[in-house]
Structure formats: structure tokens, C-alpha cells
């Protein structure tokens, strides 16, 4: 599906090459593809990021300056890429992402928990796997600088997901900037906040990818 995305356009206009992959679990390729990362297949979609990274030289792109940017579940993918493939990624921008599948399921709104447990796995039956697939469980592996954006009133992915991640990275000396908006929920709905956050995230990438 072709669609205009002003954020993608802005990054491209700033000189970045922007790739928007349909990793396993994405819509657009039928039900089988959509469910191809369910429960214990979760990390198969993260493996798709490594495949994308390996493909970059064929397009004349510099692998050493590849970064990840994503929101919500895409934020989990950013964190998982940095945690499970630390040698591949130079930086990341995580927007309202999940840092631990366990604490996310424990703390998300009740109406969301049943829905997400069907896709991610059950706290009762799959807790060990959920822990192992959580970026926070591999915090010692993360070394790329990270920019984190979150809304204080997020009912889906609680702010605590960003706070525990930021605290853990700061404790080990990894550059991490946490930007919290007190008047936002799941994502940035207000134009003023978008105009504040996205340029700051873009500047963050320029700072760490310009070499």
C-alpha cells in the first residue's frame, strides 16, 4: 500500500534513506504472514531486521550507520533489534515501545491484556519465553544510543516501560534520552508535541550517525 507519511518524508529530506519493511507480523500479506510472529515465533520478526541489514550493501547503503525507528510494537522492534543484534545498529528511536513483554502485560489496561496475550503469549503459560524475548532482559547487550519518546498517560504501553529502560541504560552508561509528554497518551496526538519531539529525535540521529 502506498501512503504519504510526513515523518518518513522529513527524514528523507534530511538526507536519510528510509526503509519501511513489512516484517513478519505485519498486515498486507495475508493472515499467515500476520500471525507468523505469534507467541513463540516472536523473535522471527526480529530476525527480519537482520536480513534487512544484510541487504543494505546491495543498495549502496552504509551498514555502519543503520538505525532503527519505530512506535508502539515498532518500538519493541527497535529495542529488540538493539538488544538481540547489538553489532548491527548504530542508534535507535523508540516511541511508546515495550521494553519488557512481562511488565507490559502485567501493567497494560485490562481490556488490552487478553487481546495481547493471544498474540504475545500468556503470563501464566509462557512467562519464561516472554522474559527471554524482552529487550530489558538483555539490557547488558545494548550499546547503541537510544532516544525514547513516551506519553505520561499511555493506557496501552505504560510509561513505566520507558522509565525502566532509561534507568537501566543510564546505569550502564549507554546514552539514552527520555522525552516524556505529560499531556499525551499512546503516541503523540498534539501537533505542538510532534513538532517538538520529531526534530529532536532527528537531531539525535544526526549526532550519532554522522561519522
Amino acid at each position: 500500500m502506498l501512503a504519504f507519511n510526513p515523518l518518513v518524508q522529513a527524514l528523507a529530506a534530511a538526507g536519510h534513506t528510509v526503509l519501511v519493511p513489512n516484517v513478519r507480523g505485519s498486515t498486507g500479506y495475508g493472515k499467515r504472514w500476520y500471525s507468523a510472529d505469534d507467541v513463540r515465533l516472536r523473535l522471527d520478526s526480529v530476525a527480519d531486521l537482520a536480513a534487512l541489514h544484510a541487504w543494505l550493501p546491495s543498495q549502496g547503503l552504509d551498514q555502519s550507520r543503520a538505525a532503527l525507528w519505530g512506535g508502539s510494537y515498532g518500538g519493541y522492534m527497535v529495542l529488540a533489534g538493539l538488544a538481540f543484534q547489538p553489532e548491527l545498529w548504530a542508534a535507535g528511536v523508540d516511541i511508546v515501545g515495550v521494553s519488557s513483554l512481562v511488565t507490559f502485560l502485567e501493567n497494560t489496561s485490562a481490556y488490552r491484556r487478553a487481546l495481547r496475550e493471544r498474540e504475545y503469549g500468556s503470563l501464566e503459560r509462557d512467562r519464561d519465553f516472554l522474559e527471554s524475548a524482552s529487550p530489558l532482559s538483555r539490557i547488558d547487550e545494548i550499546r547503541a544510543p537510544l532516544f525514547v519518546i513516551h506519553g505520561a498517560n499511555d493506557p496501552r504501553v505504560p510509561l513505566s516501560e520507558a522509565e525502566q529502560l532509561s534507568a537501566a541504560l543510564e546505569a550502564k552508561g549507554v546514552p539514552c534520552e527520555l522525552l516524556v509528554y505529560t499531556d499525551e497518551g499512546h503516541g503523540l496526538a498534539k501537533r505542538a508535541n510532534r513538532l517538538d519531539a520529531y526534530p529532536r529525535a532527528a537531531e539525535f540521529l544526526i549526532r550519532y550517525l554522522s561519522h
Side-chain angles (χ1 to χ4, degrees):
M1 180 181 70
L2 296 177
F4 177 77
N5 185 314
L7 184 54
V8 169
Q9 185 61 46
L11 290 170
H16 299 285
T17 299
V18 183
L19 305 176
V20 186
N22 281 80
V23 297
R24 273 168 278 196
S26 302
T27 58
Y29 290 94
K31 292 182 178 179
R32 181 178 297 179
W33 188 251
Y34 180 64
S35 61
D37 68 340
D38 283 357
V39 191
R40 294 179 182 269
L41 300 176
R42 178 67 39 208
L43 295 180
D44 287 358
S45 63
V46 182
D48 290 340
L49 296 178
L52 179 65
H53 187 275
W55 177 77
L56 296 179
S58 71
Q59 305 303 304
L61 300 174
D62 184 355
Q63 288 176 305
S64 70
R65 294 195 294 166
L68 295 170
W69 178 307
S72 194
Y73 182 75
Y76 164 80
M77 289 290 284
V78 169
L79 301 179
L82 300 188
F84 289 90
Q85 303 156 357
E87 72 284 358
L88 300 186
W89 308 106
V93 175
D94 158 36
I95 305 170
V96 299
V98 173
S99 61
S100 168
L101 294 168
V102 172
T103 58
F104 160 70
L105 289 171
E106 289 176 336
N107 298 322
T108 190
S109 299
Y111 80 95
R112 300 282 299 176
R113 186 175 302 112
L115 173 66
R116 289 306 171 208
E117 281 195 318
R118 285 196 292 272
E119 182 179 353
Y120 297 165
S122 164
L123 284 169
E124 180 181 354
R125 297 185 302 275
D126 304 297
R127 190 182 188 95
D128 288 347
F129 174 76
L130 291 168
E131 185 70 35
S132 70
S134 295
L136 194 65
S137 70
R138 295 175 59 89
I139 198 71
D140 288 339
E141 300 297 320
I142 298 179
R143 54 178 183 255
L146 184 66
F147 193 90
V148 182
I149 300 169
H150 218 103
N153 307 308
D154 193 334
R156 298 186 181 186
V157 179
L159 176 60
S160 54
E161 289 297 303
E163 291 175 329
Q164 65 188 5
L165 173 73
S166 175
L169 289 177
E170 288 179 4
K172 64 190 295 288
V174 174
C176 180
E177 296 186 25
L178 173 58
L179 192 57
V180 178
Y181 290 93
T182 59
D183 57 349
E184 292 286 5
H186 190 63
L188 299 180
K190 298 186 177 180
R191 183 172 182 269
N193 292 338
R194 294 196 299 270
L195 291 176
D196 179 63
Y198 295 148
R200 290 169 68 174
E203 290 169 6
F204 179 88
L205 289 183
I206 290 172
R207 189 186 325 150
Y208 285 103
L209 299 183
S210 298
H211 66 262

